[in-house]
Amino acid sequence: MAKRENGRRMSFSSTGIALGNMPDEVGMTDPTIHVMMSFEDMQQCPQENDLIGIAEKILQFDRFSGIPTQDTSSQKQWYVRPCLPLVDVRQMIRIVQESCDSINEVAVIVQEQRHYKLRDPNRDLPWWELVLIRNVGTSESMLLLRVDHALGDGLSIAKVCAQFITNHRGEPIQDFIPQKMRLAKAVYRFKTFLSSVSALFRIALLPFAFIDSYTKFTEISIGPGTKVSQNTQMIVFNDVSLDLIKQIKEEADVSLNDVLLTVFSQAIHDYCKHQKCSMLEQCGAKTRCRALMMVGFLNKSKDKEDCIRNQMSPLSIHLYIGGNNTPIEKRLMMIHKQTSHLKASPLAHFQLFLINNVLPLLPISLFRWMAYRISSRHSITYTSIPGPENEVFVGEKRVSSCRCSVVGHLHPIVSMVSYKGNISTTLVADSSIPDLEQMPMFFENAIISMATTLSIPL
């Protein structure tokens, strides 16, 4: 990444988010990533001095010690302007005290933090902050790292978190991305010239694809004229055993994401059926429900600054939620067939290339129109991030669970994080979706159904 005398230049993936990648009338809010590290109670959470040490380590990254700024010579060129004078570490920390007796009550407090705008010009600070939620109730306390999405994607934020978490001996973790993922080479293969042409053709058609079906789960967040909800709700699912998901994966000979996508597909189907969704009844197996699955590209540069960026590509995945009599294993195989084809194609790499090298040549209004057309035609965004395999500590305090959520999207967004042998799931969606709190139940039932079908003991 090129570096100016007064700051490091941002890629167009990051610049687009900083500019706002939707038309103004959509009411887009600043996309923000929330990393949520929980502690058993108020006595077991980090103290203010711990937070100061954490903030100092985060400020060591250029992107986290400066402010994204628009270049005066070009509206589509942004760079990270160093903060002068240097940032007072205490300004990056907020401590709130609440009384919550359930994780969903804590989730409400987390959602309320979105009203504190990281981009507020009066704030004149880097676009991130640490929020310690000290809970005097019976539920958990939480350390919340809020990061504007323009600074980096999920894998980048994981790199930042690795700088301040430790193992049980107090030793830095440094990097908890699985070795298999770090050593992986590009998975696509240019089999023929036609496969490349086909990938480009699919990308070109995305803004003109059919709109997903208006189901009970998605009807208020898709289609022309859809605006970003200003009243969202975060639903926290019960943790799921990673070993159980791996057993399903191995028994069915699919990937982890295939299993998780299928489980969520079944959950949406069961939710819509429970809500007596007329669209599901009318369209049956032809019900359209697609996810934008965010595919991240791990940067293997030894320069830690080059590893902090937005390097992701959204792939369109059909979830096949229709069909009242569709066995869950058939749903799994249909999704697996799709993802296998995508892995073997250059689609994700082409999209990333086009985002960073072609979109900057287009007028901003056209870029925003394309992004809105694509997003408003899909039902959900799906993202999954690997977390530490073993227990970690923050300020010598044991982290009991780790979650992630993203706010500021047009439609519902599902975020999954693995930690300490479990998978934690959050769903952020418009609070007016009826009985949204029932989704975790349908999700768990789908996992039980899949395990039972494959004769895997629970």
Side-chain angles (χ1 to χ4, degrees), residues 12 20-23 76 207-208 358-374:
F12 193 74
N21 53 11
M22 296 281 174
K76 288 181 281 189
F208 308 99
V358 177
L359 289 188
L361 305 177
L362 302 179
I364 293 175
S365 58
L366 180 57
F367 152 68
R368 287 174 172 167
W369 175 85
M370 291 173 64
Y372 178 67
R373 291 271 298 192
I374 293 170

Short mmCIF file of all heavy atoms in Angstrom, two decimals, residues 12 20-23 76 207-208 358-374:
data_model
loop_
_atom_site.label_atom_id
_atom_site.label_comp_id
_atom_site.label_asym_id
_atom_site.label_seq_id
_atom_site.Cartn_x
_atom_site.Cartn_y
_atom_site.Cartn_z
N PHE A 12 -9.37 1.32 -2.52
CA PHE A 12 -10.72 1.77 -2.82
C PHE A 12 -11.76 0.94 -2.05
O PHE A 12 -12.87 1.42 -1.81
CB PHE A 12 -11.01 1.69 -4.33
CG PHE A 12 -12.28 2.43 -4.69
CD1 PHE A 12 -12.31 3.81 -4.70
CD2 PHE A 12 -13.45 1.74 -4.98
CE1 PHE A 12 -13.48 4.50 -5.01
CE2 PHE A 12 -14.62 2.41 -5.29
CZ PHE A 12 -14.63 3.81 -5.30
N GLY A 20 -19.02 6.32 1.73
CA GLY A 20 -20.44 5.95 1.79
C GLY A 20 -20.78 5.23 0.51
O GLY A 20 -20.78 5.83 -0.57
N ASN A 21 -21.03 3.91 0.60
CA ASN A 21 -21.22 3.13 -0.61
C ASN A 21 -22.68 2.93 -0.99
O ASN A 21 -23.01 2.00 -1.72
CB ASN A 21 -20.52 1.76 -0.49
CG ASN A 21 -20.93 1.01 0.76
OD1 ASN A 21 -21.88 1.39 1.43
ND2 ASN A 21 -20.20 -0.05 1.07
N MET A 22 -23.54 3.80 -0.51
CA MET A 22 -24.95 3.79 -0.88
C MET A 22 -25.40 5.21 -1.21
O MET A 22 -24.82 6.18 -0.70
CB MET A 22 -25.82 3.24 0.26
CG MET A 22 -25.55 1.79 0.62
SD MET A 22 -26.33 0.64 -0.52
CE MET A 22 -25.67 -0.92 0.08
N PRO A 23 -26.43 5.38 -2.04
CA PRO A 23 -26.96 6.72 -2.31
C PRO A 23 -27.40 7.40 -1.02
O PRO A 23 -27.83 6.73 -0.06
CB PRO A 23 -28.15 6.46 -3.24
CG PRO A 23 -27.86 5.13 -3.87
CD PRO A 23 -27.13 4.34 -2.84
N LYS A 76 -12.10 10.63 -4.65
CA LYS A 76 -12.01 9.17 -4.52
C LYS A 76 -10.65 8.71 -4.00
O LYS A 76 -10.31 7.54 -4.09
CB LYS A 76 -12.32 8.52 -5.87
CG LYS A 76 -13.80 8.62 -6.25
CD LYS A 76 -14.12 7.94 -7.56
CE LYS A 76 -13.74 8.78 -8.73
NZ LYS A 76 -14.23 8.24 -10.02
N PRO A 207 -26.03 -6.48 -10.48
CA PRO A 207 -26.97 -5.38 -10.22
C PRO A 207 -28.32 -5.55 -10.92
O PRO A 207 -29.26 -4.82 -10.62
CB PRO A 207 -26.22 -4.14 -10.78
CG PRO A 207 -24.80 -4.56 -10.90
CD PRO A 207 -24.83 -6.01 -11.21
N PHE A 208 -28.39 -6.48 -11.86
CA PHE A 208 -29.62 -6.66 -12.65
C PHE A 208 -30.33 -7.98 -12.35
O PHE A 208 -31.29 -8.35 -13.02
CB PHE A 208 -29.28 -6.58 -14.15
CG PHE A 208 -28.49 -5.36 -14.51
CD1 PHE A 208 -27.11 -5.41 -14.67
CD2 PHE A 208 -29.12 -4.12 -14.66
CE1 PHE A 208 -26.37 -4.28 -14.99
CE2 PHE A 208 -28.39 -2.99 -14.98
CZ PHE A 208 -27.02 -3.07 -15.15
N VAL A 358 -11.23 -0.95 -11.01
CA VAL A 358 -12.17 -0.47 -12.01
C VAL A 358 -13.18 0.51 -11.42
O VAL A 358 -13.44 1.58 -11.99
CB VAL A 358 -12.90 -1.65 -12.69
CG1 VAL A 358 -13.95 -1.13 -13.68
CG2 VAL A 358 -11.89 -2.54 -13.41
N LEU A 359 -13.73 0.17 -10.26
CA LEU A 359 -14.73 1.05 -9.64
C LEU A 359 -14.20 2.47 -9.40
O LEU A 359 -14.95 3.43 -9.54
CB LEU A 359 -15.23 0.46 -8.33
CG LEU A 359 -16.14 -0.78 -8.44
CD1 LEU A 359 -16.73 -1.13 -7.08
CD2 LEU A 359 -17.26 -0.54 -9.44
N PRO A 360 -12.90 2.67 -9.05
CA PRO A 360 -12.42 4.04 -8.88
C PRO A 360 -12.51 4.90 -10.14
O PRO A 360 -12.48 6.13 -10.06
CB PRO A 360 -10.95 3.85 -8.46
CG PRO A 360 -10.91 2.48 -7.87
CD PRO A 360 -11.88 1.68 -8.66
N LEU A 361 -12.63 4.24 -11.31
CA LEU A 361 -12.73 4.99 -12.57
C LEU A 361 -14.16 5.46 -12.85
O LEU A 361 -14.37 6.31 -13.72
CB LEU A 361 -12.25 4.10 -13.73
CG LEU A 361 -10.84 3.51 -13.60
CD1 LEU A 361 -10.53 2.61 -14.79
CD2 LEU A 361 -9.80 4.61 -13.47
N LEU A 362 -15.14 4.91 -12.11
CA LEU A 362 -16.53 5.25 -12.34
C LEU A 362 -16.94 6.46 -11.51
O LEU A 362 -16.36 6.73 -10.45
CB LEU A 362 -17.42 4.06 -11.97
CG LEU A 362 -17.17 2.73 -12.68
CD1 LEU A 362 -18.13 1.67 -12.15
CD2 LEU A 362 -17.31 2.89 -14.19
N PRO A 363 -17.97 7.19 -11.95
CA PRO A 363 -18.52 8.27 -11.11
C PRO A 363 -19.02 7.68 -9.78
O PRO A 363 -19.52 6.56 -9.74
CB PRO A 363 -19.68 8.81 -11.94
CG PRO A 363 -19.38 8.39 -13.35
CD PRO A 363 -18.65 7.09 -13.26
N ILE A 364 -18.89 8.44 -8.72
CA ILE A 364 -19.29 7.96 -7.40
C ILE A 364 -20.77 7.58 -7.38
O ILE A 364 -21.16 6.57 -6.77
CB ILE A 364 -18.99 9.02 -6.33
CG1 ILE A 364 -17.47 9.19 -6.18
CG2 ILE A 364 -19.62 8.65 -4.98
CD1 ILE A 364 -17.07 10.29 -5.24
N SER A 365 -21.59 8.35 -8.07
CA SER A 365 -23.03 8.07 -8.08
C SER A 365 -23.31 6.70 -8.72
O SER A 365 -24.20 5.97 -8.26
CB SER A 365 -23.78 9.16 -8.84
OG SER A 365 -23.29 9.26 -10.18
N LEU A 366 -22.54 6.34 -9.76
CA LEU A 366 -22.74 5.04 -10.40
C LEU A 366 -22.25 3.91 -9.50
O LEU A 366 -22.91 2.86 -9.40
CB LEU A 366 -21.98 5.00 -11.74
CG LEU A 366 -22.09 3.70 -12.54
CD1 LEU A 366 -23.55 3.36 -12.82
CD2 LEU A 366 -21.30 3.82 -13.85
N PHE A 367 -21.13 4.12 -8.83
CA PHE A 367 -20.62 3.12 -7.88
C PHE A 367 -21.64 2.86 -6.78
O PHE A 367 -21.92 1.72 -6.42
CB PHE A 367 -19.28 3.62 -7.32
CG PHE A 367 -18.95 3.12 -5.94
CD1 PHE A 367 -18.67 1.80 -5.71
CD2 PHE A 367 -18.92 4.01 -4.86
CE1 PHE A 367 -18.36 1.34 -4.43
CE2 PHE A 367 -18.62 3.57 -3.60
CZ PHE A 367 -18.34 2.23 -3.38
N ARG A 368 -22.22 3.93 -6.24
CA ARG A 368 -23.20 3.78 -5.16
C ARG A 368 -24.48 3.10 -5.68
O ARG A 368 -25.08 2.29 -4.97
CB ARG A 368 -23.54 5.15 -4.57
CG ARG A 368 -22.41 5.72 -3.71
CD ARG A 368 -22.72 7.14 -3.27
NE ARG A 368 -21.74 7.61 -2.29
CZ ARG A 368 -21.62 8.88 -1.92
NH1 ARG A 368 -22.39 9.81 -2.48
NH2 ARG A 368 -20.73 9.23 -1.02
N TRP A 369 -24.88 3.43 -6.89
CA TRP A 369 -26.07 2.82 -7.48
C TRP A 369 -25.87 1.31 -7.62
O TRP A 369 -26.77 0.53 -7.29
CB TRP A 369 -26.35 3.45 -8.84
CG TRP A 369 -27.47 2.81 -9.60
CD1 TRP A 369 -28.80 3.07 -9.47
CD2 TRP A 369 -27.36 1.79 -10.61
NE1 TRP A 369 -29.53 2.27 -10.34
CE2 TRP A 369 -28.68 1.49 -11.05
CE3 TRP A 369 -26.28 1.11 -11.19
CZ2 TRP A 369 -28.93 0.53 -12.03
CZ3 TRP A 369 -26.54 0.15 -12.16
CH2 TRP A 369 -27.85 -0.13 -12.57
N MET A 370 -24.70 0.90 -8.09
CA MET A 370 -24.42 -0.52 -8.25
C MET A 370 -24.43 -1.25 -6.91
O MET A 370 -25.01 -2.33 -6.77
CB MET A 370 -23.07 -0.70 -8.95
CG MET A 370 -23.05 -0.26 -10.40
SD MET A 370 -21.38 -0.31 -11.10
CE MET A 370 -21.04 -2.07 -11.01
N ALA A 371 -23.78 -0.65 -5.90
CA ALA A 371 -23.72 -1.28 -4.58
C ALA A 371 -25.12 -1.43 -4.00
O ALA A 371 -25.46 -2.46 -3.40
CB ALA A 371 -22.84 -0.46 -3.64
N TYR A 372 -25.95 -0.41 -4.18
CA TYR A 372 -27.31 -0.45 -3.65
C TYR A 372 -28.15 -1.49 -4.38
O TYR A 372 -28.91 -2.26 -3.76
CB TYR A 372 -27.96 0.92 -3.77
CG TYR A 372 -29.40 0.96 -3.30
CD1 TYR A 372 -29.71 0.79 -1.96
CD2 TYR A 372 -30.44 1.15 -4.20
CE1 TYR A 372 -31.02 0.81 -1.52
CE2 TYR A 372 -31.76 1.18 -3.77
CZ TYR A 372 -32.04 1.01 -2.43
OH TYR A 372 -33.34 1.02 -2.01
N ARG A 373 -28.02 -1.54 -5.70
CA ARG A 373 -28.78 -2.52 -6.48
C ARG A 373 -28.45 -3.95 -6.05
O ARG A 373 -29.34 -4.79 -5.91
CB ARG A 373 -28.47 -2.35 -7.97
CG ARG A 373 -28.98 -1.08 -8.61
CD ARG A 373 -30.37 -1.23 -9.16
NE ARG A 373 -30.46 -2.23 -10.22
CZ ARG A 373 -31.52 -2.37 -11.00
NH1 ARG A 373 -32.56 -1.57 -10.85
NH2 ARG A 373 -31.56 -3.30 -11.93
N ILE A 374 -27.17 -4.22 -5.86
CA ILE A 374 -26.75 -5.57 -5.48
C ILE A 374 -27.25 -5.90 -4.08
O ILE A 374 -27.84 -6.96 -3.84
CB ILE A 374 -25.22 -5.70 -5.56
CG1 ILE A 374 -24.75 -5.61 -7.01
CG2 ILE A 374 -24.77 -7.04 -4.94
CD1 ILE A 374 -23.25 -5.50 -7.17
#
